[in-house]
Amino acid sequence: MSSVLTIRGGVPLSGKVSVRGAKNLVPKAMVAALLGSEPSVLRNVPEIKDVEVVTSLLQLHGVTVVKDPVTGDLSLDPANARNASHTEIDAHAGDSRIPILLCGPLIHAIGAAFIPDLGGCRIGDRPIDFHLAVLRKFGAVVEKTGNGIHLSAPEGLKGAKITLDYPSVGATEQVLLSATRAEGITELRGAAMEPEVVDLIAVLQKMGAIISIQTDRTIRIEGVSELRGYDHRALPDRNETASWASAALVTQGDIFVEGAAQHDMMTFLNTYRKVGGGMDIMDEGIRFYHPGGKLNPLVLETDVHPGFMTDWQQPLVVALTQADGVSIVHETVYENRFGFTQALTRMGASIQLHRECLGSVPCRFGQRNFLHSAVISGSTPLVGRDIDVPDLRGGFSHLIAAFAATGVSRVTGTEVIQRGYERFTEKIAGLGADFELTGA
C-alpha cells in the first residue's frame, strides 16, 4: 500500500532543519571504498534510501558495512570482496542507477561486474551508453545478457584518453573510479567540476590516488597499483539546502538550515537574493526567510557548475509562481525536467512550456522538440490538489506548493522523496507543517 501525505496548506514553515552529507557524493564515496586495501570511514552520512541501496549492494559483494549507532558514520571493509548473484543484485538495486558506478571498482577488486536494467527519476535521457563507452575505453569487455550487462577485463583496466561531449557528472565519476587503479595515465577532457565531484577526488586522493585538475575541465589521473582506505567527512547537501530555502520563500516562512555551506552555493544565493529572499549566512548554517513584500520575477538558465544547478530549478519555480511578474526559466541539463509543472498548473499556477531555447545561449535541446523552457506568470494563488510524485526534486517541489496552497492536498508516491531527503516528514513536522501520513 502506497503512503498518502495529506497536507493542509497555508501555514508558514518556520524553525530549524539540519542537512548532512550530499546525496550526490555519499553513495559514490561508499563505492570508492571497494578500491582500497584497508577499511574506510565515511562521516556525515544521511539516512536516505540511496545509502540503503548502496549498503545492500556492497554487502552482497562481500564488503562489511558497519554503521555507528550514535554518529551514523559508516565503516566499510572490502577485504572479502566477491562476486554476487545476478538475481540478488537486481533485487537490491531497485530503480537506483548507482550499480553502474560499481563496475570499475568491482573489476579492479574481483575482475568482473554485473549491472541490471537501471531505473532512476524520469526527468530526461540518462543513457548508460556513456558509462559503457567509458569502460570500453579502459579495456573492459561488455556483454549484454537477458537481464543486464556483464563486464570483465581479462588484461586489467588500462589508462585512456577520454573526451566527454557534455560534462556529465555520472560519466566523470565513472572515469575517476575506474582510472585511479588502471595501468597508466588517464586524461579526461570535458569533465564535470561539481563540488561533489571535487569531494570524490578528495576521497580518492586520501586513498593514495594521483589526480590533478587542470584548466578547461581537464582531469589527469596517474594510475596506481594499490589504494588505502580513507577517513572522510562528506560535504553538506547543497540541493537539500536549496529546497528548504525555496520552502521558506514560498510559504512566507523562516527556516534555519544547520550545516548549510555558503561556498558551494554562491550562484543559488545570488539568485535567491534577486528573487527577494532574505538570508543570514553564518558559520554553522544559513537562515532563509521571506522578508515581506513582493517577490521579483527573473530570467534564469540552468547549467553545469558553477552555473545554476538543475536540481535547484524545480523548487525555485514554485517560488516564481508567487513572484509579481513574468519569469523565464531555460532548462539546459535535463530535457524533460518540466513535467512536474503540470501539477502546479492544476493548483492554479500560470506556467507555459516552450520548445524554443528561451535563454541567452541556444542549448543542446534546441530544435529537438523538447519542452525545456518555461514562462511563469505571477503571482497566482495556489489551491490544494491530489498529486502523485513524479521524481525526487519535482516531488519535493510539489510538497512546497502544497504547504503554501489554500485547502487540502493529498500527495502519493512520497517514497521517492526518501531517496534524497533525510527524515523529511520529521523535518516538516518540526517546521510546523499541518499534515498527516497514512499507509506508511
Side-chain angles (χ1 to χ4, degrees), residues 24 27 32 34 39 47 49 71 85 206 208 232 260 277 298 300 309 311 316 333 345 350 353 380 400 411 423 436:
N24 288 348
L34 264 170
E47 295 181 16
K49 185 65 176 178
T71 65
S85 78
K206 286 180 177 181
H232 188 77
L298 52 75
L300 178 68
M309 263 194 93
D311 286 335
L316 193 69
V333 180
T345 301
S350 176
L353 302 183
T380 53
I400 292 174
V411 186
R423 300 178 180 176
E436 61 185 56

Side-chain angles (χ1 to χ4, degrees), residues 145-186:
T145 65
N147 57 347
I149 300 170
H150 181 268
L151 300 98
S152 61
E155 298 182 7
L157 298 182
K158 312 289 184 182
K161 284 195 172 186
I162 299 169
T163 300
L164 300 180
D165 294 333
Y166 183 80
S168 159
V169 170
T172 300
E173 292 164 339
Q174 185 69 258
V175 171
L176 290 169
L177 292 167
S178 301
T180 48
R181 283 184 53 190
E183 181 183 335
I185 295 173
T186 296

Side-chain angles (χ1 to χ4, degrees), residues 64 77 99 122-123 131 148 155 206 217-218 222 241 247 251 262 264 279 297 299-300 303 345 350 353 370 398 420 437:
T64 301
D77 187 351
R122 299 184 298 277
I123 56 175
H131 295 270
E155 298 182 7
K206 286 180 177 181
R217 294 187 176 273
T218 297
E222 298 181 35
T241 297
T251 65
Q262 173 190 13
D264 291 330
M279 72 182 81
V299 177
L300 178 68
D303 204 349
T345 301
S350 176
L353 302 183
F370 295 120
H398 289 160
L437 182 64

Side-chain angles (χ1 to χ4, degrees), residues 128-140:
I128 66 168
D129 293 348
F130 277 133
H131 295 270
L132 298 181
V134 164
L135 290 163
R136 286 191 180 100
K137 286 267 191 180
F138 284 108

Side-chain angles (χ1 to χ4, degrees), residues 135-389:
L135 290 163
R136 286 191 180 100
K137 286 267 191 180
F138 284 108
V141 177
V142 179
E143 301 173 277
K144 296 188 177 182
T145 65
N147 57 347
I149 300 170
H150 181 268
L151 300 98
S152 61
E155 298 182 7
L157 298 182
K158 312 289 184 182
K161 284 195 172 186
I162 299 169
T163 300
L164 300 180
D165 294 333
Y166 183 80
S168 159
V169 170
T172 300
E173 292 164 339
Q174 185 69 258
V175 171
L176 290 169
L177 292 167
S178 301
T180 48
R181 283 184 53 190
E183 181 183 335
I185 295 173
T186 296
E187 183 181 86
L188 173 62
R189 293 185 175 274
M193 293 296 182
E194 270 65 10
E196 294 82 8
V197 171
V198 176
D199 210 37
L200 179 59
I201 291 174
V203 167
L204 295 168
Q205 189 177 58
K206 286 180 177 181
M207 299 177 75
I210 302 173
I211 304 172
S212 59
I213 300 175
Q214 301 176 348
T215 57
D216 301 324
R217 294 187 176 273
T218 297
I219 297 176
R220 191 172 187 271
I221 306 111
E222 298 181 35
V224 296
S225 59
E226 184 177 354
L227 293 174
R228 303 183 297 274
Y230 65 77
D231 189 321
H232 188 77
R233 181 178 178 82
L235 82 171
D237 197 312
R238 59 202 178 111
N239 296 336
E240 183 179 354
T241 297
S243 296
W244 292 119
S246 294
L249 207 54
V250 175
T251 65
Q252 301 187 31
D254 188 333
I255 301 175
F256 178 71
V257 184
E258 185 179 46
Q262 173 190 13
H263 54 78
D264 291 330
M265 296 195 66
M266 289 186 174
T267 301
F268 176 84
L269 298 178
N270 287 337
T271 303
Y272 193 79
R273 189 161 274 154
K274 287 179 183 178
V275 174
M279 72 182 81
D280 296 326
I281 301 171
M282 294 164 258
D283 289 343
E284 61 271 22
I286 304 176
R287 174 193 172 206
F288 297 97
Y289 60 95
H290 192 303
K294 297 178 179 179
L295 298 181
N296 306 314
L298 52 75
V299 177
L300 178 68
E301 290 183 274
T302 64
D303 204 349
V304 296
H305 187 77
F308 192 92
M309 263 194 93
T310 180
D311 286 335
W312 298 336
Q313 175 257 108
Q314 290 163 296
L316 193 69
V317 162
V318 184
L320 292 177
T321 68
Q322 303 308 299
D324 191 30
V326 177
S327 296
I328 298 173
V329 179
H330 180 208
E331 171 61 51
T332 75
V333 180
Y334 290 126
E335 65 270 33
N336 290 324
R337 197 143 213 180
F338 282 125
F340 82 103
T341 61
Q342 294 177 8
L344 298 182
T345 301
R346 288 192 293 106
M347 297 177 79
S350 176
I351 302 175
Q352 294 179 323
L353 302 183
H354 297 267
R355 294 177 174 83
E356 295 80 7
C357 295
L358 300 183
S360 59
V361 179
C363 77
R364 59 197 175 125
F365 304 135
Q367 312 304 318
R368 292 181 59 194
N369 215 33
F370 295 120
L371 295 169
H372 70 294
S373 293
V375 176
I376 305 135
S377 301
S379 65
T380 53
L382 300 177
V383 180
R385 290 286 184 266
D386 288 353
I387 302 166
D388 187 54
V389 168

